[in-house]
């Protein structure tokens, strides 16, 4: 039997950001001296080694948490064209040729209207495929936590990928779907909630998002992000010249200051700073740098509005400059960035100062 090699690094992304996801993959491939050929289509991007060798080492070397625009990170086999009268046959053969075994199978589609229309087909094939692969020993109980992903590109086209624990999203399609709380003042509230899920481990919420903490929300009106802070029991300085939601102000946990978020300074060190101001990324980053270098907060979550072109390159330049400024100030911190599901033309950045006692 011929051996099919997983030579492709495949990631999912938001539609419209395929070039940015591809730019990331190509950057890391070049960084590791791996020659690749890129490809994109609606909702995904990939690079394939030109030498036909496995891409596992490259994919493993780049932690999923370092990727900005990727929702999922997979090593993948060549896309398959399926006969409509026997869709399972080609899938099973490719799994056998790759020598893959795994503990779970996920059927996924690109996050597009066309992709969603394929969900019914994928559902119909789920049980027959599971049964066949169990009989052949590919789907088993103990397989190192590996997961088989079937990315359905069309009714007769699918691409098989493998994900590995600790270097992937644990969400179907890499998407965290949250329910909008009806009492929140705006839908932007979901951005902060998703950011907490992304950047703060759930078992640390009671410690790092604790009742009685103090926070600032720059550009707060009408209060979507402030609402999340208040729900965690925090006292919030809401900085914005615009009006705040009346019900939120009635909680007694919010001080609304009609001031410019770019120049306001806190009365003392705060636990959290959050910011969703619409402005140039360079200006927002300069403000964040001032807050963090002066240690005015312990953790920060803020959004950067993206330019129309070279979005990944612009984000990387800004983050490198911020990390360099923190390093020069002798501040030990972690910096992470992600294009979240509830983000649109922006990315969300999280910074945590590790020298908490100073």
């Amino acid at each position: 039997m011929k051996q099919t090699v997983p030579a492709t690094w495949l990631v999912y992304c938001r539609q419209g950001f395929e070039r940015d996801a591809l730019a990331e993959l190509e950057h890391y491939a070049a960084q590791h001296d791996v020659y690749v050929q890129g490809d994109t289509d609606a909702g995904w991007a990939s690079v394939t080694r030109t030498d036909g060798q496995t891409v596992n080492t490259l994919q493993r070397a780049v932690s999923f948490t370092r990727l900005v625009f990727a929702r999922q990170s997979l090593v993948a086999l060549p896309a398959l064209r399926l006969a409509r009268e026997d869709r399972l046959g080609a899938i099973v053969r490719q799994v056998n040729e790759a020598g893959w075994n795994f503990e779970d199978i996920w059927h996924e589609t690109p996050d597009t209207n066309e992709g969603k229309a394929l969900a019914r087909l994928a559902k119909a094939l789920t049980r027959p495929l599971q049964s066949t692969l169990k009989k052949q020993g590919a789907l088993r109980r103990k397989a190192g936590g590996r997961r088989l992903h079937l990315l359905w590109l069309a009714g007769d086209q699918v691409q098989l990928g493998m994900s590995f624990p600790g270097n992937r999203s644990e969400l179907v399609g890499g998407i965290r779907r949250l329910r909008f709380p009806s009492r929140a003042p705006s839908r932007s509230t979901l951005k902060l909630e998703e950011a907490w899920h992304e950047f703060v481990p759930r078992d640390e919420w009671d410690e790092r998002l604790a009742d009685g903490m103090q926070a600032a929300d720059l550009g707060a009106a009408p209060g979507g992000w402030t609402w999340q802070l208040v729900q965690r029991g925090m006292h919030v300085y809401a900085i914005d010249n615009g009006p705040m939601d009346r019900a939120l102000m009635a909680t007694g946990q919010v001080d609304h200051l009609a001031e410019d978020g770019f120049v306001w300074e806190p009365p003392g060190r705060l636990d959290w700073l959050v910011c969703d101001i619409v402005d140039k990324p360079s200006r927002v980053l300069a403000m964040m740098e001032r807050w963090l270098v002066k240690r005015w907060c312990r953790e920060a979550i803020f959004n950067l509005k993206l330019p129309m072109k070279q979005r990944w390159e612009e984000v990387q330049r800004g983050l490198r400059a911020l990390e360099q400024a923190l390093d020069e100030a002798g501040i030990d911190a972690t910096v992470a960035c992600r294009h979240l599901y509830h983000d649109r033309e922006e990315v969300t950045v999280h910074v945590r100062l590790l020298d908490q006692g100073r």
Side-chain angles (χ1 to χ4, degrees):
M1 179 186 297
K2 68 177 182 179
Q3 180 76 17
T4 301
V5 175
T8 298
W9 184 11
L10 172 68
V11 300
Y12 306 162
C13 63
R14 177 185 291 280
Q15 187 175 12
F17 290 81
E18 295 86 0
R19 290 184 178 273
D20 308 290
L22 178 59
E24 272 195 285
L25 300 186
E26 291 177 333
H27 167 80
Y28 287 116
Q31 194 176 67
H32 289 82
D33 296 320
V34 177
Y35 294 96
V36 296
Q37 181 176 353
D39 192 16
T40 65
D41 206 335
W44 60 268
S46 69
V47 291
T48 300
R49 292 188 63 137
T50 56
D51 59 8
Q53 297 299 308
T54 177
V55 80
N56 290 59
T57 302
L58 173 61
Q59 189 263 358
R60 186 167 55 246
V62 183
S63 171
F64 177 67
T65 58
R66 290 170 58 188
L67 298 174
V68 175
F69 291 98
R71 291 177 171 176
Q72 184 59 278
S73 179
L74 310 172
V75 299
L77 302 169
L80 288 172
R81 285 287 181 181
L82 308 177
R84 291 185 180 272
E85 62 274 11
D86 181 22
R87 289 186 173 92
L88 296 186
I91 295 172
V92 173
R93 283 193 297 273
Q94 193 177 59
V95 168
N96 290 334
E97 290 168 0
W100 277 0
N101 56 76
F102 34 83
E103 296 180 6
D104 200 6
I105 303 173
W106 281 10
H107 293 261
E108 297 168 313
T109 64
D111 185 27
T112 63
N113 290 332
E114 295 78 9
K116 293 171 186 174
L118 297 169
R120 183 176 297 179
L121 168 65
K123 184 177 181 179
L125 295 175
T126 298
R127 287 190 176 181
L129 183 61
Q130 287 178 335
S131 177
T132 301
L133 292 175
K134 278 183 179 179
K135 291 177 182 177
Q136 299 203 0
L139 178 59
R140 58 180 67 172
R141 288 187 176 181
K142 295 183 179 180
R146 293 184 294 275
R147 180 179 297 135
L148 177 68
H149 297 251
L150 282 78
L151 178 62
W152 288 93
L153 305 171
D156 62 351
Q157 187 177 9
V158 68
Q159 188 158 15
L160 275 59
M162 182 84 78
S163 70
F164 305 89
N167 197 29
R168 65 187 179 197
S169 170
E170 298 296 342
L171 303 168
V172 175
I175 294 174
R176 187 181 299 280
R177 301 184 187 275
L178 300 171
R179 179 175 297 179
F180 173 65
S182 60
R183 292 175 295 130
S186 70
R187 292 198 65 83
S188 70
T189 193
L190 296 177
K191 297 181 188 178
L192 183 55
E193 183 181 353
E194 184 183 2
W196 281 339
H197 282 287
E198 182 70 29
F199 300 121
V200 183
R202 193 63 182 86
D203 60 0
E204 296 180 15
W205 280 31
D206 288 345
E207 175 188 353
R208 292 168 60 183
L209 299 169
D211 181 63
M213 282 186 165
Q214 290 191 317
D217 183 359
L218 306 183
W225 286 31
T226 296
W227 187 87
Q228 290 288 343
L229 297 164
V230 167
Q231 294 305 298
R232 297 297 304 176
M234 298 189 199
H235 177 86
V236 185
Y237 295 99
I239 315 302
D240 201 308
N241 286 311
M244 294 292 290
D245 178 75
R246 290 184 178 181
L248 193 56
M249 295 302 301
T251 64
Q253 294 172 239
V254 182
D255 282 346
H256 178 205
L257 304 175
E259 299 186 32
D260 184 348
F262 283 100
V263 299
W264 181 78
E265 298 182 5
R269 194 181 193 192
L270 306 179
D271 298 289
W272 277 93
L273 166 67
V274 300
C275 174
D276 192 25
I277 291 178
V278 179
D279 211 307
K280 294 179 180 179
S282 59
R283 192 166 183 231
V284 173
L285 281 165
M287 175 176 61
M288 292 300 121
E289 179 183 319
R290 185 175 85 254
W291 270 76
L292 294 163
V293 167
K294 291 181 179 292
R295 294 185 172 87
W296 286 348
C297 63
R298 292 179 169 82
E299 295 195 55
I301 285 177
F302 56 94
N303 276 354
L304 298 177
K305 309 305 174 180
L306 296 171
M308 293 301 294
K309 297 180 179 180
Q310 294 188 324
R311 293 178 287 207
W312 183 80
E313 292 84 354
E314 183 72 19
V315 169
Q316 285 299 102
R317 281 194 292 270
L319 293 180
R320 281 199 299 267
L322 176 61
E323 290 174 336
Q324 182 177 352
L326 294 173
D327 186 60
E328 290 175 353
I331 295 175
D332 189 14
T334 60
V335 179
C337 180
R338 178 75 69 185
H339 188 211
L340 300 175
Y341 176 69
H342 293 95
D343 287 337
R344 299 298 177 181
E345 300 290 329
E346 66 220 354
V347 292
T348 300
V349 182
H350 171 249
V351 182
R352 184 188 188 196
L353 303 190
L354 300 180
D355 53 345
Q356 298 288 339
R358 296 176 60 180

